[in-house]
Amino acid sequence: MRTRLTAFTRDGFHFDVVDSGPIDGPVVVALHGFPQTASSLAELAALLGARGYRTVAPDQRGYSPGARPRARSAYRMAELVADVVALIRELGRGPVHLVGHDWGAMVAWSLAARHPDLVRTLVTISVPHPGAFARSLVTGDQLFRSFYMGLFQIPVLPERLLTSRPAVLDRALATTGMAPDVLARVHREIVATGALPTALNWYRALLVPGNRVLSAPLVPVPVTHVWSSGDTALSRRGAELTGRFVTGDYRLAVVEGASHWLPDERPDELAEIVAARIASVPA
């Protein structure tokens, strides 16, 4: 008899997991982004559960209380991917359907590129393939949109400012379209629990020597990339370039009039997109 997975461990770190939907259903592994936890995917998971899918969503490295190393080198892409590989192997269910939003999408891209045997289908939300993102930095306005990544490289100051002055964090996220109830969840789950400094390490690891964030190989599995027209952080250019880095069946889904926070804002549409991608491959 299968049992729910509430946690898994890797290299001495303990990761919390939310496991929902029919226990015997096809498995969807869903990866959250910054600055959120698996709760940001709860509505999407419920909608997928109603369609017969089991969704397993971990609180990733830096977010789970038992998995918050302080060194930025601990947040290299190879480590982030290895965490999810360990989760998939813990499930023991063969290749999974993989969904990722924001930084979770970046991890999903790298995992599908380097471990295609573990991924049956891939849906990435907001963040394009790393190669497409890199090209969009020099062929569009993505560099301007990503200015905050440079600010996050400053040690200590960003988390102190955002923690001591909640209104600064609220204004920054509200300008990207984050709703007030979602902002409140960020304060409860990220700021109040002390996860903000280690969550910021995902950005600070970008400058760690040898961290191959923007060099993922071509992705051979079936992929749907989702981009929203109101996303202030990610440009259309990256979304348009992504198909060049996928050798499997590829679809681009554009959600009009939505912000960057699609799992919170448009879970119904995302569930349809995920279900359609899963249905595109033989059971």
Side-chain angles (χ1 to χ4, degrees):
M1 178 182 294
R2 292 194 173 101
T3 58
R4 292 291 180 191
L5 186 68
T6 60
F8 72 99
T9 60
R10 176 182 170 260
D11 279 359
F13 295 119
H14 181 92
F15 297 85
D16 298 324
V17 175
V18 179
D19 184 350
S20 62
I23 194 71
D24 291 317
V27 176
V28 177
V29 171
L31 307 176
H32 67 82
F34 172 89
Q36 298 184 294
T37 68
S39 69
S40 65
L41 301 163
E43 288 188 69
L44 174 61
L47 292 164
L48 292 175
R51 290 168 167 80
Y53 300 109
R54 175 186 178 188
T55 301
V56 179
D59 286 342
Q60 297 190 82
R61 178 175 292 237
Y63 295 86
S64 285
R68 294 180 183 173
R70 304 299 298 182
R72 63 188 182 121
S73 60
Y75 295 84
R76 292 170 297 170
M77 183 55 63
E79 296 293 335
L80 304 174
V81 169
D83 293 339
V84 184
V85 169
L87 167 61
I88 294 172
R89 289 179 173 154
E90 180 78 14
L91 289 166
R93 294 287 301 274
V96 301
H97 303 285
L98 188 60
V99 177
H101 173 243
D102 188 77
W103 264 109
M106 191 68 88
V107 175
W109 280 118
S110 293
L111 195 157
R114 296 190 166 92
H115 302 275
D117 57 307
L118 299 179
V119 180
R120 191 158 182 77
T121 66
L122 173 63
V123 175
T124 54
I125 306 164
S126 303
V127 174
H129 183 281
F133 182 83
R135 290 196 183 183
S136 70
L137 288 171
V138 296
T139 61
D141 65 349
Q142 186 58 58
L143 185 62
F144 171 77
R145 291 171 182 256
S146 298
F147 74 94
Y148 61 93
M149 294 185 184
L151 297 178
F152 287 165
Q153 301 305 317
I154 302 170
V156 181
L157 182 60
E159 51 264 53
R160 285 189 178 174
L161 175 63
L162 297 175
T163 301
S164 63
R165 300 187 178 182
V168 174
L169 178 62
D170 286 352
R171 282 196 299 272
L173 292 175
T175 59
T176 68
M178 183 176 279
D181 60 318
V182 183
L183 278 170
R185 197 166 70 228
V186 170
H187 284 285
R188 287 195 310 272
E189 297 181 356
I190 305 300
V191 178
T193 66
L196 187 58
T198 46
L200 287 169
N201 275 348
W202 286 55
Y203 291 95
R204 289 166 177 159
L206 288 169
L207 299 184
V208 170
N211 189 16
R212 299 163 59 192
V213 177
L214 300 182
S215 61
L218 300 180
V219 176
V221 305
V223 176
T224 297
H225 178 56
V226 188
W227 179 78
S228 44
S229 64
D231 195 325
T232 59
L234 283 307
S235 70
R236 180 182 288 271
R237 181 63 175 158
E240 291 171 344
L241 290 169
T242 289
R244 300 183 186 182
F245 298 88
V246 178
T247 59
D249 179 57
Y250 176 72
R251 303 172 185 174
L252 172 62
V254 176
V255 180
E256 296 291 347
S259 76
H260 176 76
W261 312 103
L262 280 170
D264 298 295
E265 190 175 333
R266 301 283 183 90
D268 292 335
E269 290 179 57
L270 280 184
E272 291 288 347
I273 291 168
V274 173
R277 172 42 74 192
I278 293 173
S280 71
V281 299

